[in-house]
Amino acid sequence: DTAVSQTPKYLVTQMGNDKSIKCEQNLGHDTMYWYKQDSKKFLKIMFSYNNKELIINETVPNRFSPKSPDKAHLNLHINSLELGDSAVYFCASSQELGLGAKYYGYTFGSGTRLTVV
Amino acid sequence: DAKTTQPPSMDCAEGRAANLPCNHSTISGNEYVYWYRQIHSQGPQYIIHGLKNNETNEMASLIITEDRKSSTLILPHATLRDTAVYYCIVRVDMNRDDKIIFGKGTRLHILP
């Protein structure tokens, strides 16, 4: 079973449209993230949620709005898409651990390649 | 900004040990060293992390210098599937307000 799954895998859309990317994790993790990887391959964090609470909100246009209906889901809605939004968007999850617990790091999804034309 | 410095690319022959260096001269006492890799067209994958002792798991070994200003990730017997971009990251361990900041990484090519 896929641990962190994103849909869709590919998304091609026109400028000005509104689109959503969905992310689900079945690992029981408390925290979920959205990262953006641009054409130069730099990975930058956008948001993180912990138990449905927004924790990290980097300098991202307010056209981007994350929504977490429960701790297993973190969706990303983008309004008025622009050419510069074209990138691969990665969802990830992680778990805060108690003392002595083994840490497995962030688990990333396979990405959503968004192309705005 | 990333707090680490890595060579942009490296080559390694298949079957040999791949040693990937990382400098983190400004690391704080409570910051861990993490390694992730990203195989082409996939999401990043956690490899290993450590504070000051050397660490080993089924994927790799992590050697951290005594002054903690640099470290080396060792893939003991590199295979073609190890071709990827490897990221060295420092961060406070498991603080929910902290985040992984990816630098440019090292593009490792495993040569047949």
Side-chain angles (χ1 to χ4, degrees), chain A residues 7-115:
Chain A
T7 55
K9 189 171 176 63
Y10 299 97
L11 183 54
V12 181
T13 188
Q14 291 186 327
M15 285 175 55
N17 284 350
D18 302 339
K19 292 293 180 185
S20 292
I21 306 171
K22 296 185 176 182
C23 179
E24 176 181 5
Q25 55 96 2
N26 62 5
L27 299 166
H29 287 172
D30 291 331
T31 307
M32 297 184 70
Y33 312 82
W34 278 109
Y35 278 79
K36 177 182 179 181
Q37 187 166 40
D38 60 24
S39 58
K40 295 184 179 179
K41 303 299 184 183
F42 291 122
L43 267 163
K44 295 182 180 178
I45 190 166
M46 301 173 70
F47 303 102
S48 80
Y49 269 75
N50 180 273
N51 275 322
K52 301 193 296 176
E53 177 188 357
L54 180 64
I55 301 300
I56 295 173
N57 185 351
E58 294 293 295
T59 306
V60 176
N62 57 15
R63 298 182 293 105
F64 290 78
S65 55
K67 285 187 172 51
S68 181
D70 55 62
K71 76 172 193 177
H73 296 83
L74 180 61
N75 303 323
L76 184 64
H77 188 75
I78 315 170
N79 290 327
S80 303
L81 278 156
E82 300 176 358
L83 293 177
D85 298 332
S86 296
V88 181
Y89 292 84
F90 288 99
C91 178
S93 70
S94 69
Q95 177 66 36
E96 294 178 43
L97 299 176
L99 191 63
K102 184 173 172 59
Y103 180 66
Y104 294 95
Y106 285 24
T107 302
F108 282 81
S110 56
T112 295
R113 182 174 294 277
L114 172 65
T115 303

Side-chain angles (χ1 to χ4, degrees), chain A residues 35 37 55 96 104 106, chain B residues 34 36 38 46 96-97 100:
Chain A
Y35 278 79
Q37 187 166 40
I55 301 300
E96 294 178 43
Y104 294 95
Y106 285 24
Chain B
Y34 290 78
Y36 282 75
Q38 187 175 22
Y46 165 80
R96 73 171 199 173
D97 296 329
I100 292 179

Side-chain angles (χ1 to χ4, degrees), chain B residues 3 24-29 31-33 51 67-69 90:
Chain B
K3 302 177 185 178
H24 31 79
S25 58
T26 60
I27 191 170
S28 301
E31 287 184 314
Y32 284 65
V33 179
L51 182 62
D67 63 7
R68 302 210 322 123
K69 293 186 177 182
V90 297

